[in-house]
Every structure is written in structure tokens, then in C-alpha cells.
Amino acid sequence: MRSLDEFATAKLAELERANLRRRLVDTTRLDGIWVVRNGRPLLSFSCNDYLNLSQHPAVKAAAIEALQRFGSGSGASRLVTGNHPLFAAIEQRLARLKQTEAACVFGSGYLANTGIIPALIGERDLMLIDELSHACLWAGARLSRATVVAFRHSDLGHARVLLEQHRGRHARALIATDGVFSMDGDLAPIAGLAALAERFDAWLMTDDAHGIGVVGDARGSTFAAKAMADGVRAQVPLQMGTLSKAIGAYGGYLCASACVIELIHNRARSFVYSTGLPPAVVAGAVAALDLVAADPAYAALPLAKARAFARRVGLPEAESPIVPLIVGNAEAALQASRMLEDEGFLAIAIRPPTVPAGTARLRFAFTALHPDDEIKRLADIVRSRILDQSQVRADAAR
Ligand SMILES: Cc1ncc(COP(=O)(O)O)c(C=O)c1O
């Protein structure tokens, strides 16, 4: 169709003019940290495999064994084809880690959020959401058809005012936030949000995609110090996350009470109407979760490395393995990323609409196996070649 291609070409040209066009670049991952791109090896700081478990021999062996025994695909929705026992194995481990009664695994984190939220709230209900929450929390919010109100990033006062204004007009209310913010690396004020949820009879849901395995003794953001009020852990009845980052596999999950999980089996459309995860992926994730539970000291390494980097550059203390360096406009972010690539590092420029306009950035993701001397070299280059621009310095000091 000519009009279709004309539409696509014009849209792409518009994105190109704004430095917002994205391109797939062939990149081969060699191990947990090194990649080959444009024929060159690069040390990657753009991968969420925080514990490098996607490459762990025990994880690979478990996946290979399941592939050989059970085949490459799962055949249909778990409700239709039958529930493979591997799902019980992973869901028990997730529930144990998150200290909930039950858990449910989905095809991906994105699918989890688009299924969970509309299963719990609808047209008559209210959803309060942190403005910087991940795109798939927003997608779930929109699909629910609830009244969706955003509060300023981590601003408990604003969230309270909005609840005072809106809560009375709605039957049910959900408060949703990333536990660890994917592009900023900061932790949500979970204790404060839990207190608001209690006061206004709302259900608190965290998206802990970047928390599981790496913060709160590997249990995630609900278990990090910031989620404690007077030494007591905040109540988070809906802990969602993904197996695709620190767990090194693929798939999303929800940890919650047994009756909520049973409701999800019945009502979450992305669970009911989507094929179950392949056995090899689930078996790999089971092995990875066992490794995480067995070695909390290893799980603490990504955050320690992020902190060392942030300290050396002169950035605020890292709260997770994610360290952003906001450079402002998209072109500057692309330039900084190219400069680092010349130095042998992969640090992709993150541009709108992934982040708000004017806050394009480099996002550094630290993993357990990043060598300390390379982290120092990266930090020194970032400080001397990027931070020495005044705009970046001002942003970094925020
Ligand atoms: C905060 C957050 N939630 C959810 C997702 C989606 O998870 P998945 O990749 O498993 O779809 C991501 C990233 O991919 C994320 O960063």
C-alpha cells in the first residue's frame, strides 16, 4: 500500500530529524559482559543480566536438559494444554523469595502488567501511578479503563493529595509504581506508599523488574531498607516482576495471596489467552533462582559496583545497579554513547519517549562480573569527557 509506506517513511523522517530514530544494531553477546558490535569487542553496560546468570553453566545445563526432555515450545495456554510441573517449581520459589502465599508466571513482564491490572480494576475504579513508571504499567493502566491519575515521581505528598481528591469517587483503588525505576535506578518510597494504601484502602502494586536478585538481600525492593517503616517491612500485596533481568531467563510473574493468584488464573487475559513459557526457559529460571537464594553475597555485587562507579564519577549514591547520567538532549546523549564506544564500552543512549523530553541520558547497568579496573577506567572517562560539560554537571548535582 503506497499510503501506508508513505506514512511510515514520513514518521521515520520526523524521528530522524529529532534524533529519536532507533535502529537495531547486530550485537552478539559473548559472555555475561562482553559483546561484539560492528566487528569490535565492547564491554557492555547496557544489559540487565545483572548477575550474569544467563551464561551460568548450571542455568544453561538445566535449560538444555528441559529442552531435550520436553521440547522447545509449551504448546498452548497453561489452562488448555495442561500445567507443566516446572511451573509449580518456579512459582513456589518465587513465592518463597517474596514471602507471599503464591505466585503466577506470565509470558513476559510486559504481559504480566497488561494482564494483572485489568483483572483487578475496571471502569469504576481509580489507579494512581508514579509518573516515571515503566511503559507496561501504563499499558496495563490504560487497558483497565480505570480513572488513571499520575503522581509526581516518588512524591508522597502529591500522592496523598490526589487520593484525598479522587478516592471517594471510586469503588476500588490501585497504587502502582516501579520498585526500582528502570531509567533512574532509584528506589520507590515503598513504606510511604504502603502507609497511604492502608489509609485510603488502596492496593499497592510494585513492578520489581530491576529489584529481584539485586536489592533487599536479593528479594527485591519490598525488602530494601527504604521499604521499612520503623524497622517493619511494608506490606506490598502485589509484587510483580520479571525473570528476564537478574534471573537471566525470560517471563514475568506476580507474587500475591493465594486467592489473588487464583483470580489471575481466571481473569488475566494475557495469562488465559497466551501460550505458557517454553520448558527450557522455566527450567533455566528455576536453576537461577536457586543460585540467587544460595549466594546473597554474589547478589550484592552489582549494587556495590554501581556505587563504586557513582562515587568515582561524583554522582549521587546508587540505590540499585542502574546509574543514569542525564545529558539533556538526544543528540548529546548519542554523541556521548559514540565516544564511549570508541573507548571500548557499550552504553546506549536512552532518549524520549523512554525518558521525559530534555532528559536523554546514558544508562549504566552494572553486573556482578564487571572488572573493577574497567569500571574505574569508565568512570574516569565519563568524568573527564562527559561530566566536564556544564549542563551535565548541573543535572548530575540534582
Ligand atoms: C520496570 C520494568 N517493568 C517491566 C519490564 C518488562 O519486562 P519483560 O522484559 O519481561 O517484558 C521492564 C523491562 O523490560 C521493566 O524495566
Side-chain angles (χ1 to χ4, degrees):
M1 286 285 289
R2 226 183 64 204
S3 63
L4 175 59
D5 287 348
E6 278 169 10
F7 162 75
T9 310
K11 271 280 164 206
L12 288 169
E14 201 181 290
L15 290 170
E16 185 80 51
R17 279 194 297 279
N19 283 306
L20 295 179
R21 184 165 174 173
R22 298 165 191 226
R23 286 190 171 78
L24 290 169
V25 181
D26 281 356
T27 306
T28 314
R29 292 182 69 209
L30 296 179
D31 58 8
I33 50 175
W34 287 93
V35 302
V36 174
R37 193 175 168 99
N38 299 325
R40 284 185 60 209
L42 298 173
L43 187 61
S44 174
F45 289 87
S46 288
C47 184
N48 299 322
D49 189 6
Y50 299 116
L51 299 173
N52 317 102
L53 290 180
S54 73
Q55 308 292 329
H56 194 288
V59 173
K60 290 200 227 178
I64 289 167
E65 200 211 327
L67 180 74
Q68 297 287 8
R69 283 182 67 194
F70 306 120
S72 66
S74 68
S77 162
R78 292 164 61 184
L79 291 163
V80 173
T81 200
N83 198 38
H84 196 287
L86 276 167
F87 286 110
I90 190 149
E91 287 167 351
Q92 278 161 10
R93 280 166 176 78
L94 285 166
R96 199 182 310 137
L97 189 72
K98 298 284 186 175
Q99 298 181 3
T100 58
E101 282 177 359
C104 174
V105 165
F106 290 76
S108 74
Y110 200 107
L111 282 174
N113 277 339
T114 56
I116 296 162
I117 298 170
L120 298 176
I121 54 170
E123 252 168 327
R124 296 171 54 232
D125 303 324
L126 172 69
M127 177 156 169
L128 219 68
I129 180 168
D130 187 291
E131 62 180 347
L132 294 189
S133 293
H134 191 263
C136 59
L137 269 181
W138 280 99
R142 291 196 179 109
L143 280 174
S144 75
R145 295 192 288 168
T147 299
V148 180
V149 184
F151 59 94
R152 286 192 294 272
H153 178 49
S154 289
D155 186 337
L156 291 171
H158 192 217
R160 183 177 43 73
V161 168
L162 292 174
L163 282 164
E164 280 163 358
Q165 274 172 13
H166 294 274
R167 178 68 186 94
R169 291 201 285 276
H170 299 276
R172 296 179 292 251
L174 183 73
I175 302 176
T177 180
D178 286 16
V180 174
F181 285 87
S182 57
M183 295 299 137
D184 293 82
D186 52 336
L187 297 178
I190 290 178
L193 289 172
L196 285 177
E198 167 113 33
R199 178 161 156 212
F200 288 91
D201 184 23
W203 307 327
L204 179 58
M205 173 172 179
T206 53
D207 176 335
D208 212 26
H210 298 272
I212 187 171
V214 287
V215 300
D217 288 333
R219 293 177 190 275
S221 59
T222 311
F223 299 82
K226 213 170 167 180
M228 303 279 177
D230 304 328
V232 179
R233 182 164 56 82
Q235 290 302 309
V236 184
L238 299 161
Q239 299 182 61
M240 172 271 164
T242 175
L243 304 168
S244 66
K245 303 186 194 299
I247 307 305
Y250 197 66
Y253 65 83
L254 175 68
C255 293
S257 64
C259 56
V260 167
I261 293 302
E262 204 174 334
L263 179 66
I264 291 296
H265 292 164
N266 282 272
R267 297 296 304 281
R269 297 174 69 85
S270 58
F271 178 83
V272 176
Y273 299 110
S274 189
T275 300
L277 283 168
V281 171
V282 184
V286 167
L289 281 169
D290 286 344
L291 290 167
V292 168
D295 196 351
Y298 181 74
L301 287 176
L303 175 56
K305 292 190 186 243
R307 287 200 164 137
F309 170 81
R311 217 175 298 128
R312 199 167 171 102
V313 177
L315 297 171
E317 184 173 64
E319 296 185 355
S320 76
I322 302 163
V323 180
L325 182 73
I326 296 169
V327 295
N329 69 54
E331 195 182 352
L334 287 169
Q335 256 173 26
S337 174
R338 277 193 293 267
M339 182 277 288
L340 288 180
E341 188 168 333
D342 289 343
E343 294 291 342
F345 299 114
L346 182 66
I348 296 297
I350 308 286
R351 296 167 283 164
T354 305
V355 291
T359 71
R361 66 196 66 187
L362 296 179
R363 172 191 182 275
F364 300 96
F366 290 86
T367 77
L369 295 184
H370 276 125
D372 292 334
D373 53 345
E374 287 292 331
I375 292 174
K376 281 185 190 152
R377 189 168 80 82
L378 174 68
D380 292 344
I381 292 171
V382 166
R383 205 185 44 219
S384 62
R385 311 243 330 248
I386 305 176
L387 213 61
D388 271 356
Q389 298 165 23
S390 52
Q391 184 196 354
V392 178
R393 245 201 326 268
D395 279 328
R398 274 186 322 158

